[in-house]
Amino acid sequence: MPTKRPVFTAISLLVAGALFLTSCATVSQGRSNEDVNEESSNEDLNAEFSTESAASLPYEMCPSDADTCFSWSMEASQECMDNYPLLLTEENRLARLPFEECVYELDFFGIEHLTPERFMGPVSETAKENAKRLQSVGWDRTQTSPIQMLATPDVPQDILDATSESLQAATDYLGNYGPLKFYTVGNDPEVVEPMIKDFCSWGNPDISFEQCAQDQGESMREMSAIYPGGNAFAGAAWYLDDPVFYFVNNPCANEQNEFCSLKHPEELIGLQKVTAHEYFHVYQGSQQIYRPHYEGGFPMPRWFEEGAAEYFAVFLTQQEGWDPNIRLDMTREFIGDVQRGLETWPSLRLMDIETEAATARTKSYCQSELCIGFLQYGMGYLAMAFLADITSDEAIFFDFYEANKTDGFYKAFADVFGRDIDAFYEEFDVFLKLSPEKQLEALT
């Protein structure tokens, strides 16, 4: 087992206005005007959809005279054909949501793989100066200040306890990174406004409160009032003079907007897993001192980012004994998800979401968040389990990030995992051709 990093521990429960404020030792990831990485345990409330027709997409993606890159399969149900518009527009986007599973009844044209434009350095002078600034304030080092947990007063104590326990276990293992505020939004829109005010002053002090309240604040209102299931978003305000992390979570709720755990206590395990997943993003973000995108720093592929977080969440859930069978169960589930995804999108590979440009191209091709989801979560998890099998969990959780911090993703990947990214893709493609039984045996 890897050596655990030291962590400062403090847990307390306070009442602050309309919020419960809990401090728990230790940390979700990246926001700027052009660097946004929002997460969701179910559905991204702020997801952007491409509404391009096939005729405006690159010629190699689908026939030039087609309106879309897909058509209904011979087995497609009448319900799907009647209710799932093939050509996605802003007007019919919401109408599609109740029938999103209909995407699996489509036949997609093959996509030609384009090698992504990979940035391997050198980083820009701006990125170097920003890295020095982040390191000077301890961005990439463990913290002594505890995580602040804030919840609306309608959130049950068992949810707060499960979240605290998961954060404590994650920081015991990875270290305490931050500063972080972890917001839990309940199901009562009447009490969410104080939390929105706190959130905006913490994660978005560089913009007006009105703008923040209309953007992320509106998402928090929707969480409390509109969406069943579980929803979340996260970010890192690394560009502030005093950079911070934040994570906003709305635990699972049923169609009556009641917390799932009230009738099904096992849902708390799912909450602990989501919490561990999100904390891993905080850890990842803390080790990215050369910020990507417009700052001219090192990027990280979406599948690696999400796959590693999900792999860690499964690892921690099993290690802590919350669900001793989760590795077997989740690996089997992801193998099934990937098989189903490849039956629908047989030509898609990890390479197709390696960069943000590649991801945008793929999203335009399939016009569905589900295809991105199966790649970054399902295939991403299997890829990380595959890498752990040929190296170690220590390499996945620690060695890679130590190398990535200064050398960037591609060099760190080759040095830690012993093959460059293209060689890995070839190996992994061969692995995915194995039977589900052989995949499961190899990874568990």
Side-chain angles (χ1 to χ4, degrees), residues 140-330:
D140 60 332
R141 300 192 300 274
T142 55
Q143 308 281 313
T144 57
S145 59
I147 290 177
Q148 297 181 64
M149 290 179 56
L150 291 87
T152 53
D154 61 318
V155 176
Q157 186 63 43
D158 60 354
I159 287 179
L160 297 176
D161 291 343
T163 302
S164 294
E165 182 181 5
S166 181
L167 285 173
Q168 188 65 68
T171 54
D172 282 349
Y173 192 83
L174 295 172
N176 176 13
Y177 294 90
L180 165 72
K181 280 193 177 183
F182 194 105
Y183 298 87
T184 303
V185 176
N187 301 327
D188 183 355
E190 298 298 322
V191 298
V192 76
E193 293 303 320
M195 176 174 285
I196 293 173
K197 184 176 181 180
D198 188 283
F199 168 83
C200 289
S201 65
W202 173 261
N204 293 272
D206 56 316
I207 63 176
S208 69
F209 173 75
E210 291 75 16
Q211 182 181 347
C212 173
Q214 291 173 5
D215 186 4
Q216 287 101 331
E218 185 58 28
S219 293
M220 294 163 76
R221 295 183 192 100
E222 290 176 347
M223 284 178 172
S224 66
I226 299 175
Y227 292 93
N231 297 279
F233 66 88
W238 54 268
Y239 47 87
L240 299 177
D241 290 340
D242 296 311
V244 298
F245 291 94
Y246 55 81
F247 175 60
V248 180
N249 186 40
N250 177 221
C252 175
N254 59 24
E255 293 294 336
Q256 289 72 46
N257 213 14
E258 300 169 334
F259 291 107
C260 299
S261 60
L262 295 177
K263 295 182 179 179
H264 305 282
E266 64 273 12
E267 290 289 345
L268 294 173
I269 297 173
L271 173 63
Q272 290 175 308
K273 176 177 167 292
V274 168
T275 302
H277 176 114
E278 296 306 329
Y279 183 75
F280 194 83
H281 282 314
V282 174
Y283 167 68
Q284 285 176 321
S286 73
Q287 303 306 298
Q288 287 183 284
I289 58 173
Y290 295 110
R291 303 301 301 181
H293 307 315
Y294 81 91
E295 287 289 337
F298 289 124
M300 182 179 292
R302 184 181 292 212
W303 66 262
F304 190 94
E305 203 166 55
E306 293 299 339
E310 190 64 12
Y311 182 77
F312 174 74
V314 170
F315 167 87
L316 193 70
T317 300
Q318 178 159 305
Q319 176 172 277
E320 294 298 314
W322 303 328
D323 181 354
N325 299 317
I326 192 170
R327 183 181 179 101
L328 178 64
D329 293 342
M330 290 302 300

Side-chain angles (χ1 to χ4, degrees), residues 37-56:
N37 179 21
E38 294 189 334
E39 315 272 354
S40 172
S41 59
N42 180 16
E43 176 185 320
D44 190 340
L45 298 176
N46 299 313
E48 295 182 1
F49 290 81
S50 169
T51 55
E52 294 180 277
S53 69
S56 65

